[in-house]
Amino acid sequence: MTPAVAKDTMHQNPQPLIPTTTVTVAYAGGDERRGPLTMGQANMIRCILRDDPTHINIHDVWPVPEGATPAAVTDALRALAVRHEGLRTTFPHPPGSAPVDQVVAAEGTFTVTVLDHTELPADPAEYAESVARAARAGRFALEREFPLRITLLTIAGQPAYVAMAFSHAVADASAMAILREEFAELLAGKELPGLTSLPPVDLAAVEASPAGLRKSEASLRYWERILRTGPQEMFAEPRGRRPGTDEEARQLTLRSRRGGRALAGAARRTGHPEATVLMAAWCALVAHRAGQDSCVTAVPSANRFHARVARSVTTTSQDALLHLDVRVPAFDSLVSRTWGAVLNAYRHSQFDSVRLWEMIDRVTAERGSRFGRDVVFNDVSALPAPLLGTEMQNGGDAEQELTWGPPQALPTRMLAFTYRTTPQLHISLWAAPSVFTPEEAEGFLSGLVLLLEAAAAGDVPMEALTEVTGIRPAERGSDWLRVDGCWVSSDAVRETLGRAVGGLPVHVAEEPGPYGSAADAGEAAGAEPHLTAYIACGSTPLAPEEAHRALTALIPAAGSGVLAPHRYVLVGNPPAEPDRSDAWRRLNTIDEGTGRSRQV
């Protein structure tokens, strides 16, 4: 732990005069290695260099069994460092640049900060959690710092908990769970089995192989199809905010034996795995609440389904992007569709993150949009050990309870972690307050249980979701239109485009049929309409492409529901009746065109 982090921890500590010592632990016995970054490491390092450390660093709490000595704890930590190359890895790079290589040390040291208490607070697990969370403050020095900040909480010298923060460059939630499990086995005197998954250096070599590069290219094509055709915001509605606008959201936790029984029953009745049924229910309700025909959700834990990475202590943090069309008559059909869609998303969750973001920037500029990672669903219930003390935090035998926890910055609109599915369904949800009131957030999780109970009893018509769950779709005014697979506010587009072109008069109209490549392809007359923007530029020199670029530059900070028009029509002066679309259509056209890609 760095001195600054230690200071933060002690500041939050309710017992400020706790004796504190620092123990230096030496390790040796591994192999010294060097190689390129894995795709997951490169993805997370990009975030580490950019984001607030409290957002990107991760933490966990490991209970120490009664009777274990401080020496046994440090010996177990030393054994883990020797066993897993990822824990001995640093990322050298010149200042101002991003790492391209990883270096594995054969030997080295790390420190353990020991806080020795006379007694722990009334809620010791929550206290240990607060110490671990505080250690996330401060950016890890990737080129030299041991990637774990370790605090040992003792009572009169007897270890109780290990609270630690991890650099996300070397571990993700799955890796923390693996380490937590192995730590407990070492303290129990068990011999750990041989490693079966690849260490990071070898994983990077597999990714750089011809087969690995083909896999990455296929993933980029898969993502691009979704970005070019899917909804750009799941929660595009009047009270929403633009994707990427951080909010602070409180943690809402559901513990439900009713939910656990219902999920098991629905899985038995449909003949599909519980994870598939739960994903289908989640997507059905997200799309229903958002008023969308499909659900786009990131699934971060999806990329450990292959044996070579299943138990690798590294970060594989790359999203699988699930795009699930929910236009089916009933829930059973959606469950069947979900199975294939999830497998397809999993297969396309390995990619060059730098190229991915270059593609995202290019496609969203061409489409005149701002793709939002609005929804994240992380099912970690199948991991080998409970995460973040959830084992200790489980409620009693209550059939169902909802509890509110602390707030945290939320760079998305809706984030969920599924920790357990049996005997309780245990889910934590963070829902953006701009989109969900506290009552609506509670209603969403309660509605999820109601849907599972109904699905356990029989097939559920999709048109009955409001009746079954009590969850109502978003309300939108008459200016909101379904265009290009997205909910778009014509008023918001008009206002934003007006600002983009320096206050020139603008009118936005919905036009029948497709425009651009779709029209060129001769698609059916009943195809989805498009937006046309009329701009009265007078004597101001302006080209359609310039208007598009100016609008696209404003979209990240604009309100919800802004998507660039498919067509820009430049005229001289506005008509006498500027609110009438037919009046604008009768004007002489100076120029027209689109800044969008013809691929859309």
Side-chain angles (χ1 to χ4, degrees):
M1 178 180 294
T2 63
V5 175
K7 182 177 179 181
D8 290 345
T9 303
M10 295 302 294
H11 179 72
Q12 294 189 18
N13 195 321
Q15 305 178 60
L17 300 179
I18 299 171
T20 304
T21 57
T22 300
V23 177
T24 299
V25 181
Y27 62 85
D31 294 326
E32 184 174 342
R33 307 180 71 195
R34 186 182 187 114
L37 303 180
T38 68
M39 292 180 180
Q41 287 171 332
N43 184 45
M44 292 315 306
I45 287 173
R46 179 182 181 275
C47 300
I48 289 168
L49 296 176
R50 179 195 64 197
D51 296 346
D52 186 323
T54 59
H55 298 173
I56 195 63
N57 295 336
I58 55 179
H59 71 281
D60 201 3
V61 175
W62 300 350
V64 179
E66 188 175 352
T69 65
V73 170
T74 55
D75 285 346
L77 294 169
R78 179 189 293 109
L80 293 176
V82 174
R83 175 176 170 85
H84 296 290
E85 290 186 6
L87 302 184
R88 296 182 274 115
T89 297
T90 53
F91 306 92
H93 61 285
S97 66
V100 295
D101 290 328
Q102 56 181 312
V103 174
V104 182
E107 59 186 28
T109 62
F110 60 87
T111 60
V112 178
T113 300
V114 182
L115 303 182
D116 191 28
H117 307 71
T118 55
E119 62 179 2
L120 292 179
D123 189 342
E126 178 60 32
Y127 167 64
E129 164 83 6
S130 71
V131 173
R133 183 178 292 277
R136 290 168 61 159
R139 204 177 304 276
F140 275 92
L142 295 171
E143 72 281 4
R144 57 178 171 79
E145 187 177 353
F146 188 73
L148 278 65
R149 296 169 181 162
I150 306 168
T151 303
L152 177 60
L153 307 180
T154 61
I155 306 171
Q158 177 63 43
Y161 296 98
V162 179
M164 58 180 65
F166 292 76
S167 167
H168 218 329
V170 304
D172 55 16
S174 298
M176 289 195 304
I178 293 164
L179 291 170
R180 192 174 196 259
E181 178 189 53
E182 292 185 348
F183 175 75
E185 291 182 349
L186 287 168
L187 288 184
K190 297 180 181 179
E191 183 176 347
L192 298 181
L195 297 174
T196 57
S197 293
L198 295 177
V201 172
D202 294 334
L203 179 58
V206 170
E207 293 174 344
S209 69
L213 294 176
R214 286 194 298 271
K215 185 178 181 67
S216 177
E217 290 295 329
S219 296
L220 293 175
R221 290 193 297 271
Y222 169 87
W223 276 68
E224 185 166 357
R225 284 195 299 273
I226 296 173
L227 266 64
R228 286 194 180 276
T229 60
Q232 295 295 281
E233 301 174 73
M234 280 306 297
F235 298 108
E237 53 188 87
R239 59 176 171 168
R241 297 189 189 183
R242 284 301 311 172
T245 305
D246 288 6
E247 297 183 63
E248 193 171 77
R250 292 180 65 194
Q251 178 181 3
L252 175 62
T253 298
L254 166 77
R255 295 183 180 89
S256 174
R257 291 185 178 274
R258 283 174 49 194
R261 289 194 300 270
L263 178 57
R268 284 193 302 270
R269 192 187 63 76
T270 61
H272 285 276
E274 289 186 3
T276 303
V277 175
L278 182 59
M279 180 68 77
W282 167 264
C283 289
L285 288 190
V286 169
H288 174 69
R289 165 62 182 77
Q292 300 278 15
D293 291 337
S294 64
C295 176
V296 177
T297 183
V299 190
S301 62
N303 41 15
R304 282 184 178 264
F305 62 94
H306 196 285
R308 67 170 172 256
V309 293
R311 291 187 63 86
S312 182
V313 173
T314 185
T315 183
T316 63
S317 291
Q318 293 187 277
D319 285 345
L321 189 66
L322 175 64
H323 184 201
L324 182 63
D325 189 333
V326 300
R327 290 174 294 181
V328 292
F331 184 70
D332 286 7
S333 298
L334 184 64
V335 174
S336 298
R337 178 177 290 184
T338 301
W339 173 253
V342 167
L343 289 180
N344 201 26
Y346 285 8
R347 283 195 295 266
H348 296 101
S349 60
Q350 176 188 308
F351 44 78
D352 182 327
S353 60
V354 174
R355 290 190 58 202
L356 175 75
W357 281 104
E358 290 172 349
M359 182 268 290
I360 289 175
D361 290 343
R362 182 181 70 254
V363 170
T364 53
E366 291 169 352
R367 195 177 182 188
S369 61
R370 181 70 175 182
F371 177 74
R373 191 173 179 261
D374 267 7
V375 184
V376 181
F377 185 78
N378 207 351
D379 186 347
V380 296
S381 61
L383 295 183
L387 287 173
L388 303 182
T390 55
E391 184 175 43
M392 299 171 289
Q393 296 169 18
N394 276 340
D397 293 328
E399 279 291 277
Q400 184 158 306
E401 64 177 9
L402 288 165
T403 56
W404 287 95
Q408 71 175 51
L410 188 70
T412 183
R413 304 279 79 88
M414 199 175 198
L415 166 66
F417 272 81
T418 299
Y419 295 113
R420 290 175 181 263
T421 57
T422 183
Q424 291 180 321
L425 181 60
H426 181 178
I427 298 177
S428 285
L429 173 70
W430 292 261
S434 64
V435 180
F436 290 84
T437 65
E439 293 76 19
E440 288 172 327
E442 291 180 352
F444 188 89
L445 287 182
S446 298
L448 181 65
V449 173
L450 292 171
L451 175 56
L452 292 173
E453 289 179 328
D459 201 2
V460 180
M462 295 294 284
E463 63 182 14
L465 286 181
T466 297
E467 178 185 354
V468 169
T469 68
I471 299 171
R472 297 184 177 279
E475 295 182 0
R476 300 179 175 94
S478 59
D479 70 302
W480 285 80
L481 312 167
R482 283 296 300 273
V483 176
D484 195 15
C486 303
W487 278 108
V488 181
S489 166
S490 58
D491 288 351
V493 174
R494 175 180 50 77
E495 188 275 332
T496 306
L497 179 57
R499 288 191 290 116
V501 295
L504 294 174
V506 171
H507 179 77
V508 175
E510 181 183 17
E511 307 279 7
Y515 176 78
S517 60
D520 296 341
E523 292 189 1
E528 194 176 74
H530 67 274
L531 284 185
T532 294
Y534 295 88
I535 305 174
C537 57
S539 60
T540 303
L542 184 67
E545 295 79 6
E546 293 172 327
H548 180 83
R549 285 195 298 269
L551 171 62
T552 300
L554 293 185
I555 285 178
S560 183
V562 179
L563 187 75
H566 297 73
R567 178 176 173 233
Y568 298 86
V569 177
L570 307 183
V571 299
N573 297 309
E577 298 177 283
D579 293 333
R580 294 178 59 89
S581 296
D582 57 344
W584 285 87
R585 295 187 186 106
R586 286 194 294 268
L587 298 175
N588 291 328
T589 299
I590 297 174
D591 195 4
E592 70 170 286
T594 181
R596 283 175 166 233
S597 164
R598 304 294 287 180
Q599 300 177 52
V600 174

